Amino acid sequence: MLTRALNSLKKVAAAGVDGLTAKDYEPNLSMNIKDLYQRLCQNQYRSQSLRRTYIGKENGEKRPLSIPALEDKIVQRAVVEILGRIYEVDFLDCSYGYRPKRNAHDAINFVRDKITLEKVSYVLDADIKDYFGSIVRSQLMTILEKRIADKVILRLIGKWLKAGVLEDGQLLSPMLANIYLHEVLDAWVEKVVKPRMTGQVFLCRYADDFVACFQKIVDAKRFYVVLAKRCAKFGLALHPEKTRLIKFGRFALQDQQKGKPKTFQFLGFTFYCATTMKKKFIVNLKTAAKRLKRSLTKIENWCKKNRHLPLSQQRNKLTEMMLGHYQYYGRSSNSRSLGTFHHAVKRSWHKWLGRRSKNGYMR
C-alpha cells in the first residue's frame, strides 16, 4: 500500500522541508519503503514539519498552503485509502466530493434533476465560513474513534492534526473534511431532520459546499435556524453574506409578478429557472460570473507572460487551457457563456501578440 501510495504522487510535485520529491525516492525504492514500513510498525516514524508557502487568490489576497515532507505524503496517502475503504460504507448518496466514481457534475445533475422533477419550491444556498480552519480537532478525533479501533492510525492522524495538516490543499484534508461533515450534516439530516419535516427535503453536498432543497417554506425556515445551531456545536459557522434562503423552482417562475426568480450558485455554475420551447419548466445552468472572470484572467496572464513563444506553441497551450474549460462548463444551456469565453480568449491573444513588436498591432 505504501508503494502504491508513492506511485500515485506526482513525480515533480513541490518538495517539503526534506527537499525530496517522489522521483528522488525511486532509486532505492524497495529499501526506502521497507525502512518506512518498519518505522511505522515499531512506532519510530516521526512526521516532519510542514513547509509553508502562499498562493494568490482572486481578490488579491494570498492563501496559505502547507507542503508535507515526502514520507508524510506517502503515509497520508495510504491512510486516506484505509479511511476511504472504511467510510465509503457509511457515506450517504447526498455526498459527492472526493469519492470513487462520483464527481462535481454528478452533484450538479442531482440538484438540477431534483428541482426540475420533484416538489421543490425553496433552496438554501449555504456556505461554511473558513471550513478547514474551523474544524474542532478534538471533535474530529472523537468522530474517528467511533469507527476506527487501530491506535496506530489514530495516533498518526492526531500528530498530523497537531502539525496543522487539516488545511485546504492537503492530501488528507478532503477525506477528514468528508468524515466531519458526514457526522455534522449528512447523517443528521437523514436521521434527525427528514423525519421531522412536513414536506420533501433534499440535500446535496460536495466537500464543504452544499445545497438544501425544500418543498415547504416552514421546513426551510426551521432548517435554516437549526442548521446554524448544529454547525456552532461543532465549531462551524455559516457565512452570513453567502448563505441565502430563496424561492426557487416552477412556482417561483410562475409567480413572476413579484420579479424575476432569484438564482443561486453551486460548484461554479449559476442555476436559474427557465422553460423549454414547449413551455415546460426546467433548470438551466451557466458559468458563474466569478469563475468566468477567473478563467479569463488566467489566460490573459499566460498570454502576457508567454507572448514571445513560437505561435504554434502558444496555440497548443491555449487550446489545452480552453478544452479544460469546455470539459467542465460545456453544457447545452451554457452556449452563450462559452461563446463569450471563446471570443475573449481570441481577443486577449490577439492583444498580446500585437505587443511583441514596436508596431503594436497584428492583423
Side-chain angles (χ1 to χ4, degrees):
M1 187 176 284
L2 291 172
T3 304
R4 188 163 62 246
L6 173 65
N7 292 334
S8 68
L9 297 175
K10 292 181 180 179
K11 296 296 182 284
V12 291
V17 292
D18 57 354
L20 295 175
T21 64
K23 193 175 182 180
D24 300 327
Y25 210 71
E26 287 181 344
N28 297 311
L29 178 60
S30 179
M31 186 183 299
N32 289 333
I33 290 292
K34 187 176 181 180
D35 176 63
L36 175 59
Y37 172 72
Q38 289 175 343
R39 280 184 281 135
L40 283 166
C41 291
Q42 297 168 6
N43 196 24
Q44 295 177 350
Y45 168 77
R46 297 291 180 269
S47 59
Q48 299 186 50
S49 57
L50 303 168
R51 183 170 73 84
R52 197 75 162 178
T53 186
Y54 295 87
I55 58 175
K57 295 175 67 176
E58 296 174 39
N59 57 9
E61 298 178 357
K62 290 190 174 181
R63 178 166 68 89
L65 191 66
S66 298
I67 304 174
L70 178 64
E71 286 193 339
D72 288 334
K73 289 181 183 179
I74 296 170
V75 179
Q76 285 178 30
R77 181 75 75 179
V79 169
V80 165
E81 184 172 340
I82 293 170
L83 293 177
R85 295 187 183 191
I86 294 170
Y87 280 96
E88 190 58 33
V89 179
D90 297 350
F91 287 154
L92 302 177
D93 287 341
C94 63
S95 171
Y96 287 88
Y98 307 107
R99 293 182 61 188
K101 298 180 181 179
R102 287 175 170 239
N103 56 41
H105 279 280
D106 293 330
I108 292 165
N109 291 337
F110 175 86
V111 173
R112 181 203 60 191
D113 293 346
K114 288 300 179 185
I115 298 174
T116 302
L117 303 175
E118 302 290 347
K119 298 175 182 178
V120 173
S121 298
Y122 301 89
V123 170
L124 177 64
D125 178 17
D127 184 271
I128 298 177
K129 189 176 182 180
D130 186 25
Y131 175 59
F132 286 95
S134 302
I135 293 176
V136 181
R137 273 63 171 174
S138 59
Q139 290 188 328
L140 174 58
M141 289 304 299
T142 300
I143 292 170
L144 290 169
E145 288 168 1
K146 292 180 181 180
R147 290 289 277 121
I148 300 172
D150 192 322
K151 300 299 181 184
V152 175
I153 297 294
L154 291 172
R155 185 166 57 246
L156 281 172
I157 295 175
K159 288 180 179 179
W160 289 328
L161 290 177
K162 287 180 181 179
V165 75
L166 190 58
E167 187 174 289
D168 189 10
Q170 289 291 327
L171 288 171
L172 197 59
S173 294
M175 176 57 70
L176 294 179
N178 254 358
I179 294 170
Y180 200 69
L181 274 183
H182 167 77
E183 179 82 11
V184 176
L185 186 65
D186 303 354
W188 172 68
V189 169
E190 191 67 29
K191 297 176 183 178
V192 180
V193 174
K194 286 187 177 182
R196 290 171 169 78
M197 296 289 102
T198 59
Q200 289 186 334
V201 181
F202 303 101
L203 175 71
C204 182
R205 181 176 65 82
Y206 189 93
D208 61 326
D209 197 358
F210 66 93
V211 169
C213 305
F214 302 87
Q215 179 184 358
K216 298 184 178 181
I217 184 62
V218 63
D219 291 338
K221 288 182 176 180
R222 283 176 60 199
F223 179 78
Y224 195 175
V225 173
V226 178
L227 176 63
K229 296 178 181 178
R230 176 71 177 178
C231 288
K233 183 180 177 181
F234 290 86
L236 307 176
L238 298 175
H239 199 297
E241 297 174 1
K242 297 180 180 179
T243 302
R244 302 180 305 145
L245 177 60
I246 63 171
K247 188 173 183 179
F248 192 92
R250 56 172 48 83
F251 300 111
L253 188 64
Q254 292 170 6
D255 197 18
Q256 289 205 38
Q257 65 267 23
K258 294 184 180 179
K260 195 174 181 180
K262 292 182 179 180
T263 64
F264 69 92
Q265 293 183 12
F266 184 55
L267 300 179
F269 284 94
T270 296
F271 289 65
Y272 63 96
C273 298
T275 55
T276 65
M277 295 181 67
K278 294 182 178 180
K279 303 300 180 183
K280 289 185 65 175
F281 170 74
I282 191 172
V283 175
N284 279 342
L285 295 84
K286 61 182 179 181
T287 311
K290 285 186 177 179
R291 292 294 186 93
L292 179 60
K293 182 180 179 182
R294 184 173 73 180
S295 295
L296 290 175
T297 299
K298 180 180 178 181
I299 287 181
E300 173 85 5
N301 292 337
W302 189 91
C303 290
K304 178 181 178 181
K305 185 178 179 180
N306 298 279
R307 62 186 183 271
H308 293 293
L309 293 177
L311 286 178
S312 60
Q313 192 172 335
Q314 291 189 51
R315 179 200 63 209
N316 292 340
K317 180 60 178 178
L318 286 172
T319 299
E320 178 186 322
M321 295 169 76
M322 292 175 75
L323 283 174
H325 184 89
Y326 293 149
Q327 284 172 356
Y328 187 79
Y329 294 104
R331 303 184 75 97
S332 57
S333 61
N334 199 26
S335 57
R336 180 175 296 182
S337 178
L338 295 177
T340 300
F341 173 76
H342 182 254
H343 176 72
V345 171
K346 289 197 296 182
R347 186 174 58 191
S348 180
W349 192 27
H350 177 257
K351 180 183 78 172
W352 289 108
L353 287 179
R355 297 190 182 184
R356 299 201 304 178
S357 64
K358 294 181 180 179
N359 296 331
Y361 179 75
M362 173 176 282
R363 291 185 291 110

